[in-house]
Amino acid sequence: MTTYRNPDENGYYGEFGGAFVPEMLYPNVEELQQNYIEIIESEEFKKELNDLLKDYVGRATPLYFAKNLSEKYGTNVYLKREDLNHTGAHKINNALGQVLLAKKLGKKRIIAETGAGQHGVATATACALMNLECIVYMGEIDIARQAPNVARMKMLGAKVVPATSGSKTLKDAVNEALRDWINNATTTHYIIGSVVGPHPFPDLVARFQSVISEEIKWQLKEKIGRENPDYVIACVGGGSNAAGTFYHFVDEPSVKIIAAEAGGFGVNSGKSAATTFLGTTGVLHGSKSIVMQTNDGQVIEPHSISAGLDYPGIGPFHANLFKNNRAEFFSINDDEALESAFELTRLEGIIPALESSHALHVLKKKNFQKDDVVVICLSGRGDKDMETYLKIIDK
Ligand SMILES: *Cc1c(COP(=O)(O)O)cnc(C)c1O
């Protein structure tokens, strides 16, 4: 049987993945490749991380049966409440895991990139907790549109460094962080915030996020007497909340997998981040995947209303699901995500992140049956997006 969950020893999911890095990064990447599984699967590490996830993050997050949403769409909708995690999104699952890993590797300095600021806040939080130096690279445009998260990172003691090249957003922040890592290879661990980057990062981050589907399984069993839903749905920027939500289901053929990408103004508008609709095979940020690029390999600037989905690639895990038709991909536009954000707020009293609202909108795009059990990952809360939402309320 093919497994979709695990890459091969070189970090390949089918034809996607690998580690394409400059020679100066080989020692770091190899150090990680050789040690990560042994460290993170050790009983001592698992206990330390699980204690933190329980008492510091607040896990297990609820699996909430959304009665009003279910009635409206004539099916059974369960929301996996990652929005209730400490710091407001799933990002903390990975940040804590990687900071613990960095400590085991003897690193004193942590760098990270961030888009919406959620990964930056999560990393700064974990570094404050464990007394490590923290530097966060963030696109200049994102710094302007995510001011509350920038303030939180600074209050937590992190240094926020603007990325001023390209579109001044997430992909440029990743480039800056990789550059820093090359210059500070021995002292520094780079905490990538999604299932992207050179092997072993996609697998490392997927393992730390897999707690999401691990919990869904026992929570569903408790609620409806079976572990597997009919559908799991998540939004995909780089794909970490989606990889975590899909992880324990991708190799269960009865579970249908749905990924929601950011359509921006529309797939054919020239302002989009719908990678599987627009992309081709290429190498971005150290791994081979599907990338939005011109014929001569220049990365095309993405657009999404949500900073967390504003990325011109997807992780190799998801590229492989797409290539093999294991997952169905939807492109959800800015205005559609906004519509679903307001719908959830008014129907259930939950203000979701704009990113998560892309996943919610699949309810309007696909017909589910009365008996279907549909689990949607609510990856984060909407506090950081209030400025965008207010523009609509005030209209
Ligand atoms: C960062 C973020 C995302 C997108 O990142 P993935 O790696 O694709 O999960 C989605 N939702 C929220 C709330 C985020 O903060």
Side-chain angles (χ1 to χ4, degrees), residues 49-352:
L49 181 57
N50 285 338
D51 284 352
L52 282 172
L53 289 177
K54 178 167 175 280
D55 295 328
Y56 186 73
V57 176
R59 302 203 72 95
T61 60
L63 182 68
Y64 168 65
F65 175 64
K67 181 164 167 288
N68 299 329
L69 206 56
S70 296
E71 253 166 37
K72 173 155 186 183
Y73 290 98
T75 188
N76 303 288
V77 181
Y78 289 83
L79 301 176
K80 182 58 174 160
R81 298 290 309 273
E82 293 301 297
D83 60 314
L84 294 178
N85 283 324
H86 179 45
T87 70
H90 64 290
K91 298 276 177 17
I92 192 78
N93 304 327
N94 169 52
L96 276 176
Q98 287 211 47
V99 164
L100 271 183
L101 174 62
K103 285 203 106 163
K104 304 279 177 211
L105 292 170
K107 308 288 179 184
K108 301 267 181 287
R109 183 174 174 273
I110 300 292
I111 58 173
E113 85 297 335
T114 197
Q118 290 301 106
H119 175 57
V121 168
T123 303
T125 298
C127 286
L129 178 69
M130 298 193 214
N131 194 24
L132 289 170
E133 184 187 355
C134 180
I135 294 107
V136 180
Y137 290 92
M138 186 170 189
E140 209 169 36
I141 297 222
D142 292 334
I143 288 181
R145 62 180 170 177
Q146 305 287 340
N149 274 343
V150 175
R152 290 162 84 197
M153 284 183 263
K154 288 184 177 166
M155 182 159 175
L156 287 158
K159 186 169 158 213
V160 181
V161 181
T164 55
S165 61
S167 58
K168 306 182 175 59
T169 58
L170 182 55
K171 97 173 152 40
D172 313 292
V174 178
N175 287 332
E176 292 294 326
L178 284 169
R179 208 164 295 147
D180 179 316
W181 206 25
I182 291 171
N183 291 330
N184 299 286
T186 49
T187 58
T188 299
H189 178 66
Y190 174 24
I191 302 191
I192 291 188
S194 192
V195 286
V196 299
H199 175 59
F201 282 108
D203 185 42
L204 181 64
V205 178
R207 283 170 189 259
F208 285 139
Q209 293 295 357
S210 70
V211 65
I212 298 173
S213 48
E214 194 182 305
E215 289 173 5
I216 292 171
K217 271 187 169 278
W218 64 255
Q219 289 172 319
L220 267 186
K221 178 91 179 166
E222 235 173 56
K223 284 181 197 301
I224 63 167
R226 62 173 159 110
E227 289 191 336
N228 289 349
D230 297 293
Y231 291 90
V232 280
I233 305 175
C235 67
V236 175
S240 69
N241 87 90
T245 304
F246 303 164
Y247 197 84
H248 291 282
F249 301 118
V250 278
D251 295 313
E252 303 271 356
S254 72
V255 183
K256 297 175 203 85
I257 312 267
I258 296 180
E261 290 189 287
F265 290 174
V267 166
N268 297 314
S269 66
K271 297 201 73 163
S272 179
T275 303
T276 60
F277 293 82
L278 296 166
T280 49
T281 300
V283 171
L284 178 65
H285 297 146
S287 74
K288 188 174 165 197
S289 189
I290 301 174
V291 183
M292 287 168 45
Q293 57 189 339
T294 60
N295 288 336
D296 55 1
Q298 296 292 316
V299 173
I300 295 171
E301 299 298 346
H303 163 82
S304 167
I305 192 171
S306 59
L309 304 184
D310 205 347
Y311 186 70
I314 51 170
F317 177 102
H318 298 290
N320 188 45
L321 298 183
F322 175 75
K323 182 84 181 198
N324 290 289
N325 289 317
R326 176 65 186 97
E328 187 178 1
F329 282 73
F330 285 88
S331 167
I332 308 296
N333 295 344
D334 289 352
D335 56 343
E336 295 174 321
L338 280 170
E339 181 188 1
S340 290
F342 276 83
E343 181 182 78
L344 184 73
T345 304
R346 296 293 163 86
L347 278 180
E348 298 284 351
I350 298 170
I351 302 179

